[in-house]
């Protein structure tokens, strides 16, 4: 039986390595900026990940939603915190976000069931 979390992470890692191996300065700087933006600061990492989850849902990026769900899970976000966050995303993004909300809910269940993240 396949594991959606493992599959997503394996593909993401493989492709990130390929992208970074091309030694494109702009891409490397974007990756670095992303890493640094989610580091602890005035806002804690969990809050930043939940903010990233809102933006990702509103922008309708399923890969981004999965990434921020897993990061939020690792940071100890509860299902209630994630659902409240996704409710804000749905409010801001409108009903077009509903399919992404469904997939996010399903992926969160996989994270909870597998204990992965």
């Amino acid at each position: 039986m396949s594991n959606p979390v493992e599959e997503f992470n394996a593909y993401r890692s493989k492709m990130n390595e390929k992208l970074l191996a091309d030694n494109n300065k702009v891409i490397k700087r974007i990756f670095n900026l992303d890493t640094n933006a989610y580091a602890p600061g005035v806002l804690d990492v969990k809050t930043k990940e939940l903010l990233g989850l809102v933006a990702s849902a509103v922008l309708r990026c399923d890969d981004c939603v999965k990434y921020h769900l897993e990061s939020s899970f690792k940071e100890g976000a509860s299902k209630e915190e994630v659902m409240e966050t996704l409710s804000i995303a749905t409010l801001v993004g409108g009903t077009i976000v509903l399919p992404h909300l469904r997939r996010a809910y399903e992926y969160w269940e996989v994270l909870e069931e597998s204990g992965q993240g």
Side-chain angles (χ1 to χ4, degrees), residues 5 19 26 31 38-39 47 49 59 68 70 72-73 79 105:
V5 176
L19 287 167
V26 174
F31 272 69
Y38 287 92
T47 300
E49 291 298 339
L59 292 170
H68 290 292
E70 187 172 347
S72 297
F73 185 84
K79 182 177 186 177
Y105 192 93

Side-chain angles (χ1 to χ4, degrees), residues 9-28:
N9 286 323
Y11 175 77
R12 186 174 175 276
S13 293
K14 178 180 88 172
M15 293 312 298
N16 282 352
E17 286 177 25
K18 287 184 176 192
L19 287 167
L20 293 170
D22 271 349
N23 207 28
N24 180 296
K25 184 168 47 171
V26 174
I27 290 174
K28 283 188 171 191

Side-chain angles (χ1 to χ4, degrees), residues 1 7 9 19 21-22 30-31 34 37 42-43 49 53 58 63 69 71 76 80 92 97 100 105 107:
M1 183 181 238
E7 287 175 12
N9 286 323
L19 287 167
D22 271 349
I30 289 170
F31 272 69
D34 182 70
V42 176
L43 295 176
E49 291 298 339
L53 179 58
V58 170
D63 279 5
L69 281 172
S71 296
E80 293 76 17
V92 171
V97 175
H100 305 277
Y105 192 93
Y107 198 75

Side-chain angles (χ1 to χ4, degrees), residues 4-5 8-9 11-12 52-71 86 89-90 96-108 111:
V5 176
F8 174 72
N9 286 323
Y11 175 77
R12 186 174 175 276
L53 179 58
V54 169
S56 298
V58 170
L59 292 170
R60 300 184 308 273
C61 175
D62 283 335
D63 279 5
C64 305
V65 167
K66 286 178 181 178
Y67 175 81
H68 290 292
L69 281 172
E70 187 172 347
S71 296
L86 289 169
T90 307
I96 197 165
V97 175
L98 287 172
H100 305 277
L101 173 64
R102 290 183 196 109
R103 287 189 289 273
Y105 192 93
E106 179 181 41
Y107 198 75
W108 183 261
L111 288 167

Side-chain angles (χ1 to χ4, degrees), residues 71-87:
S71 296
S72 297
F73 185 84
K74 286 179 182 176
E75 290 300 319
S78 68
K79 182 177 186 177
E80 293 76 17
E81 288 173 312
V82 168
M83 289 311 299
E84 189 167 325
T85 299
L86 289 169
S87 71

